[in-house]
Amino acid sequence: MPSEVIRYAEVTSTNDLARDHARRGAAEGTVVVARYQTSGRGRLGRDWYAPYGKSLLMSLILRPPAALAHSAWLTLIGGIAAAEAIKAGADLDVRLKWPNDVRHAGRKLAGVLTETQRQDEGTVAVVGIGINVDWSADDLPEELAETATSLRLLTQRDWSLDELLAEVRRQYLVHYRTLLSGEIAALRRHWSTLDETLGKPVLVDAPDGTWRGKAVNLDEHGALWVEDVAGGQRRVVVGDVSISFEE
Ligand code: BTN
């Protein structure tokens, strides 16, 4: 087993364990993976549900330069990496909904939660990625029945969690190097090949309220620009968008 992967059966959240390992000196690129989380977290204070042993639950430890520590791209490239790892295993039309949803036909397959901290040796970012892999229809709780799916449900076959982990990590580190070298235009182009948000009418749920508009651009900082109904362009940095189908 490569030394850069630290495995657990059960944890509170792989992001917690990754933060602890980082504090104890784990190198950049180390991944913590678990079969089950008792307190899995999503963005915006939500819970992240995953039945035992049926999801990829991983957290990647990064030590970005201070200027990059709060970059939204750390999350966006998590989505790109997860989407690409999935597409490497199956010919699925997987799409990215800003900022962190990996979806198929509007149903969520994976999500990304980045948590950044100052530690003694500098800034640590933990990029947590969860992918719904081996769920059967019975594993979908009622509240996710209409909005989530899994690789098993989409492809009717087994997937190796280890292979998926290795591919997500590999892809992430490729895009992370691009980020470190400042090639944001390349990352924006890459995002746009997988994006399903831009050009769509959206319902924005942001700290300034809930409002409708049309997603028009992803800027170099990873923020989403949305044209509101009055024709003004508003920059969304924190929040969520739902893609709505009525104009
Ligand atoms: C989201 O879509 O809101 C983000 C979901 C992130 C889930 C992953 S699973 C591994 C890591 N540990 C956590 O507690 N959360 C992330």
Side-chain angles (χ1 to χ4, degrees):
M1 204 50 65
S3 60
E4 63 265 20
V5 179
I6 303 171
R7 294 171 184 280
Y8 289 93
E10 185 174 312
V11 296
T12 50
S13 156
T14 54
N15 274 24
D16 294 340
L17 274 287
R19 181 198 58 219
D20 295 347
H21 280 283
R23 196 174 289 133
R24 296 201 294 273
E28 180 162 83
T30 303
V31 174
V32 171
V33 61
R35 296 185 64 74
Y36 188 69
Q37 301 184 125
T38 54
S39 313
R41 314 191 264 283
R43 281 179 67 249
L44 308 173
R46 298 176 188 135
D47 292 337
W48 181 257
Y49 170 78
Y52 191 99
K54 295 187 173 187
S55 282
L56 179 60
L57 304 168
M58 61 178 281
S59 297
L60 182 61
I61 295 171
L62 302 171
R63 299 184 180 279
L68 267 187
H70 296 286
S71 168
W73 282 106
L74 294 175
T75 296
L76 299 180
I77 62 180
I80 295 175
E84 285 181 334
I86 292 167
K87 286 163 85 69
D91 184 19
L92 288 173
D93 186 21
V94 175
R95 297 269 144 199
L96 298 174
K97 181 171 79 70
W98 184 91
N100 75 323
D101 284 7
V102 181
R103 310 202 307 174
H104 179 273
R107 287 175 180 254
K108 187 150 168 167
L109 261 175
V112 186
L113 172 69
T114 304
E115 294 175 323
T116 306
Q117 278 209 331
R118 280 246 5 118
Q119 295 188 355
D120 289 345
E121 288 171 23
T123 303
V124 169
V126 169
V127 181
I129 300 177
I131 305 182
N132 307 341
V133 180
D134 200 26
W135 302 26
S136 65
D138 290 344
D139 293 316
L140 277 170
E142 210 177 297
E143 63 276 18
L144 299 180
E146 302 300 319
T147 55
T149 189
S150 75
L151 294 178
R152 166 170 292 285
L153 286 168
L154 292 172
T155 61
Q156 319 296 329
R157 68 164 169 86
D158 294 339
W159 286 67
S160 157
L161 291 177
D162 281 349
E163 284 173 19
L164 207 50
L165 163 68
E167 188 60 13
V168 173
R169 178 178 181 278
R170 192 183 72 76
Q171 295 276 0
Y172 192 96
L173 293 176
V174 167
H175 298 308
Y176 181 58
R177 278 193 289 275
T178 306
L179 177 64
L180 292 182
S181 63
E183 295 169 71
I184 306 298
L187 293 178
R188 288 172 77 193
R189 276 197 301 278
H190 213 107
W191 171 278
S192 67
T193 63
L194 293 162
D195 165 78
E196 65 168 350
T197 317
L198 298 175
K200 299 276 172 51
V202 289
L203 181 67
V204 179
D205 187 3
D208 64 348
T210 301
W211 44 277
R212 283 188 186 280
K214 181 177 173 186
V216 289
N217 191 22
L218 177 74
D219 73 19
E220 64 272 30
H221 303 290
L224 186 70
W225 285 82
V226 178
E227 186 175 300
D228 64 23
V229 287
Q233 302 234 336
R234 291 162 73 167
R235 187 168 186 260
V236 186
V237 180
V238 179
D240 227 356
V241 298
S242 324
I243 298 175
S244 56
F245 293 97
E246 69 276 13
E247 291 274 2

